[in-house]
């Protein structure tokens, strides 16, 4: 069952990153996901934004009242500090917050008031994470980086001759997780050695490293023929999708000999598959062989799926070792018991957005998912942060707000 | 320029996770990527496998000699310990290695000799990371999980009515990074509090959390209409791909008003775009408006791309703020200076595979990427590990090998 998270609930003192404070000057996906993930793990994350919000504050999808569901989704559990990014007085305050916190995560480019050398001169053990588009400092976003990787050329229907972009911003997500990992690793090292770290993380290098880790670049460098476009088939093993009698689609994967044996038994094709093996002189226990003969195997299994409804097929598959999943829409997933009864999803009443189930981290610690807290509005926490961390008086804060250096409350805060 | 990594080079003592030892009992992508990432960060990672290798040891792509490029790509910088997984004597040795190391990462299911309760009874501060397919313990892999998320229904050409799988195993990659983050966070907490942690990380929950973080699930739960399939357009802003006069494809993203102004200036469509704005009563400075009018804007810009070669287009785009990238194949990327002159890529002579450029972590620490080391062969390090960590004598090791409990060398090690 879902638990109901309190909007005031703080991470328990035994949260993994309890005691770590992070200032985040960010926008879009990667850096905000980094900060949110650290917040879930117990870090105190202050997102510092221009008054009125950064470039992502009104990003789609929006509610009917033009509030960004996207922004709320990537900034849960943070505090919001809003300041005039063109005001030197605000720069000084933000730098004081960073020095006090000891960790900065940013994807802002060309802000000299966030410069590592100047900040670390004041606090040598600073952990400073700079997310970039490319290593040379030029701009790049997930959907341009992806074009360079090679993946769009091998994604999509086999007969297509144009690139297919991913919709999931997989590089942004991975980049955010690498950034969070770099912070967690660096605070560990700082705890042991006392040393700070300057970390630079280009989005493009996240994508290129992943293409390398998965063997795509070595394959080319070693002079092997490149992989083609295989539609929904899984390269190097047996994986394919099938249509049921009622028009649903199911993805099937048979990684192991046992999976494959179960698949031929279920579909009544064991002797036909054996006859094919004998006639072709191959052994389907080898997953590479299954991949090479995927078309005929797909043809062999298609009839069984065509003759069963998706409910029948799923019930039968559940009794086997075969890996399988029906294709769902986002709306179907959102109302699926695997979401609605999942302890990772916690009911929150997100100001401006509404009540919904929001995810914690996918990992549980000692059986518990970290609590989910709501996202702030721009400037919600400015005054409290100035009091708590910089020791400013109410009068000093009012003067800063009156001068336009900071915003202490959100005008249109619902 | 690429540096040449020595196969014997150890991470520097100031590597972030120096001093952390991890036992990994794993296969496929997520858990191996976790271990490799931790190894890059300086952890001492021992991959424990059945004699002859786990289910992923021969996974495609293969060299002409049937050695797995895939396996080498995901297991760099680890040591290999090979044991008979059906032998209780081997189970005891593996458990001793885990107790000694203090961190276990595994995606192996149903191995009672890896059970958290029993291991933590001996070492209470154990950090134990269990990667699962689904939270309920049933099996799932990236390509089945993806079917449940909703992404295949919105990926691919606009007029398609069938799901499009991703080729990049984005959930596996994210899961591996979450696992590495959970280890780094947990060793930090252990350093502070002395406490160990039991971490459970289901691959399916990685995907569902991400769909939630990006707003897809909240959108549905709040009763908003779902997003459709938009081809290569980027949802909620202006992003599209174009074909040049010589048949290349370029991805263009204009996130900000400045990007968009540069795009209309470059393509000579500023006054046409302004006329459209006036006639339609809209403001293209709003990225949502650009998305809603993406077809006519694409039509407006297409002619300029059609009349320029890709070299001309790239040269012109480089002089602007517009985010852009030519679509490349994996082979083109592998020989691109952004790989071959990238300090993240280091030349390694991988036994059994050959010399190639292999990626370190995408993040640099204090200006340096961690060194890349080669992947071991199955059992390469068994004897050394038994001596170093369990204090066994050569005679004891020979007896274990003779009994078939462990393998101390790779028979076909090239």
């Amino acid at each position: 069952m879902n638990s109901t998270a309190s909007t005031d609930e703080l991470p328990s003192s035994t949260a993994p990153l309890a005691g770590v404070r992070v200032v985040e000057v960010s926008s879009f996906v990667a850096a905000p996901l980094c900060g949110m993930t650290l917040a879930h793990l117990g870090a105190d994350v202050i997102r510092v934004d221009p008054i009125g919000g950064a470039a992502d504050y009104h990003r789609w999808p929006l509610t009917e009242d033009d509030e960004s569901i996207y922004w709320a989704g990537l900034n849960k559990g943070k505090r919001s500090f809003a300041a005039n990014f063109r005001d030197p007085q605000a720069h000084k305050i933000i730098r004081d917050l960073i020095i006090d916190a000891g960790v900065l995560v940013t994807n802002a480019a060309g802000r000299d008031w966030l410069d590592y050398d100047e900040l670390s001169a004041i606090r040598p053990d600073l952990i400073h994470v700079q997310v970039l588009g490319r290593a040379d400092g030029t701009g790049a976003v997930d959907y341009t980086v992806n074009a360079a990787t090679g993946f769009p050329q091998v994604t999509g229907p086999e007969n297509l001759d144009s690139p297919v972009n991913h919709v999931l911003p997989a590089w942004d997500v991975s980049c955010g997780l690498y950034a969070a990992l770099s912070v967690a690793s660096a605070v560990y090292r700082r705890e042991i050695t006392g040393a700070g770290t300057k970390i630079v993380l280009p989005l493009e290098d996240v994508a290129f490293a992943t293409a390398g880790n998965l063997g795509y670049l070595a394959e080319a460098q070693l002079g092997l023929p490149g992989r083609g476009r295989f539609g929904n088939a899984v390269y190097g093993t047996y994986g394919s999708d099938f249509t049921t009698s009622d028009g649903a689609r199911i993805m099937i994967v048979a990684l192991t000999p046992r999976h494959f044996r179960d698949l031929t038994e279920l579909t009544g094709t064991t002797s036909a598959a054996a006859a094919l093996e004998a006639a072709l002189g191959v052994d389907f226990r080898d997953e590479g062989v299954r991949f090479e003969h995927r078309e005929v195997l797909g043809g062999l299994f298609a009839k069984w799926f065509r003759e069963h409804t998706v409910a029948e097929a799923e019930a039968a598959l559940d009794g086997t070792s075969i890996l399988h999943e029906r294709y769902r829409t986002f709306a179907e997933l959102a109302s699926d018991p695997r979401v609605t009864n999942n302890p990772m999803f916690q009911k929150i009443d997100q100001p401006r957005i509404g009540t919904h189930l929001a995810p914690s981290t996918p990992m549980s610690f000692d059986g518990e998912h970290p609590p989910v807290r709501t996202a702030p509005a721009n400037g919600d926490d400015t005054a409290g942060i100035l009091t708590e961390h910089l020791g400013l008086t109410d009068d000093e804060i009012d003067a800063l707000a009156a001068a336009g250096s900071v915003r202490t409350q959100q005008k249109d805060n619902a």
Side-chain angles (χ1 to χ4, degrees), chain A:
Chain A
M1 292 297 295
N2 295 115
S3 58
T4 297
S6 154
T7 55
D8 297 317
E9 193 173 352
L10 287 168
S12 98
S13 60
T14 57
L17 298 182
V20 174
R21 188 167 338 117
V22 177
V23 170
E24 177 195 312
V25 183
S26 73
S27 57
F28 304 120
V29 178
L33 177 64
C34 168
M36 182 170 74
T37 304
L38 296 171
H40 278 148
L41 295 175
D44 173 11
V45 178
I46 299 173
R47 178 162 167 160
V48 173
D49 277 310
I51 293 170
D56 58 347
Y57 196 55
H58 298 288
R59 211 178 193 201
W60 285 28
L62 306 175
T63 64
E64 288 171 2
D65 298 327
D66 285 344
E67 294 285 349
S68 175
I69 294 171
Y70 163 92
W71 198 89
L74 285 167
N75 292 284
K76 296 188 295 278
K78 301 176 188 176
R79 294 191 286 168
S80 172
F81 186 90
N84 179 354
F85 276 23
R86 293 181 180 169
D87 175 8
Q89 174 69 7
H91 297 167
K92 185 181 176 312
I93 291 169
I94 296 167
R95 290 167 61 108
D96 287 348
L97 287 174
I98 295 166
I99 298 299
D100 184 62
V103 182
L104 171 67
V105 174
T106 187
N107 67 319
R111 307 256 187 220
D112 56 13
W113 40 281
L114 297 179
D115 181 69
Y116 172 77
D117 290 336
E118 290 187 35
L119 290 165
S120 65
I122 305 168
R123 180 160 178 171
D125 71 347
L126 179 70
I127 294 165
H128 185 288
V129 181
Q130 177 73 57
V131 173
L132 296 173
R134 296 199 188 92
D136 68 4
T138 57
V141 292
D142 183 286
Y143 299 95
T144 57
V145 164
N146 193 43
T149 61
F151 283 103
Q153 310 281 17
V154 298
T155 302
E158 228 158 341
N159 54 4
L160 203 70
D161 65 355
S162 53
V164 172
N165 289 358
H166 58 201
V167 171
L168 172 72
W171 308 123
D172 273 341
V173 170
S174 297
C175 186
L177 297 175
Y178 271 117
L181 172 63
S182 73
V183 171
S185 305
V187 295
Y188 173 77
R189 179 169 83 162
R190 184 168 69 183
E191 191 64 29
I192 305 270
T193 69
T197 321
K198 178 188 181 186
I199 295 158
V200 177
L201 175 60
L203 178 66
E204 183 176 83
D205 282 356
V206 168
F208 292 178
T210 303
N213 291 336
L214 295 172
Y216 287 94
L217 301 185
E219 233 179 329
Q221 290 171 351
L222 295 167
L224 295 163
R227 301 182 217 180
R229 193 170 230 149
F230 306 120
N232 283 350
V234 182
Y235 175 78
T237 189
Y238 188 73
S240 184
D241 63 318
F242 293 95
T243 305
T244 58
S245 64
D246 47 353
R249 306 278 284 225
I250 299 188
M251 182 69 197
I252 299 291
V253 177
L255 285 182
T256 68
R258 182 178 165 221
H259 295 160
F260 189 72
R261 197 173 57 235
D262 279 7
L263 182 55
T264 63
E265 279 176 18
L266 177 73
T267 55
T269 59
T270 303
S271 57
L276 272 175
E277 277 183 309
L280 298 168
V282 297
D283 182 348
F284 290 146
R285 285 174 303 180
D286 178 331
E287 61 179 346
V289 169
R290 296 199 292 277
F291 175 70
E292 288 180 311
H293 295 275
R294 63 192 177 279
E295 293 96 339
V296 67
L297 290 174
L300 198 57
F301 305 141
K303 183 167 175 287
W304 184 86
F305 288 95
R306 177 160 42 80
E307 292 174 348
H308 291 81
T309 64
V310 68
E312 291 166 353
E314 286 192 299
L317 287 159
D318 280 342
T320 74
S321 69
I322 305 161
L323 301 163
H324 64 95
E325 188 68 75
R326 180 166 66 83
Y327 286 89
R328 285 169 168 76
T329 63
F330 290 110
E332 287 173 318
L333 176 60
S335 61
D336 191 284
R338 284 184 284 170
V339 167
T340 57
N341 285 339
N342 186 332
M344 176 178 74
F345 283 95
Q346 298 170 23
K347 186 175 277 185
I348 60 169
D349 182 11
Q350 173 65 51
R352 308 177 305 286
I353 302 289
T355 300
H356 63 283
L357 291 172
S360 176
T361 63
M363 58 269 199
S364 59
F365 293 86
D366 299 323
E368 308 247 329
H369 287 277
V372 178
R373 290 169 294 143
T374 57
N378 181 250
D380 263 359
D381 307 293
T382 303
I385 289 165
L386 289 172
T387 305
E388 184 181 346
H389 300 300
L390 302 187
L392 268 60
T393 65
D394 288 354
D395 287 350
E396 290 169 325
I397 294 169
D398 287 346
L400 282 171
S405 295
V406 302
R407 173 196 269 185
T408 52
Q409 56 181 333
Q410 168 75 336
K411 265 179 288 187
D412 53 1
N413 192 350

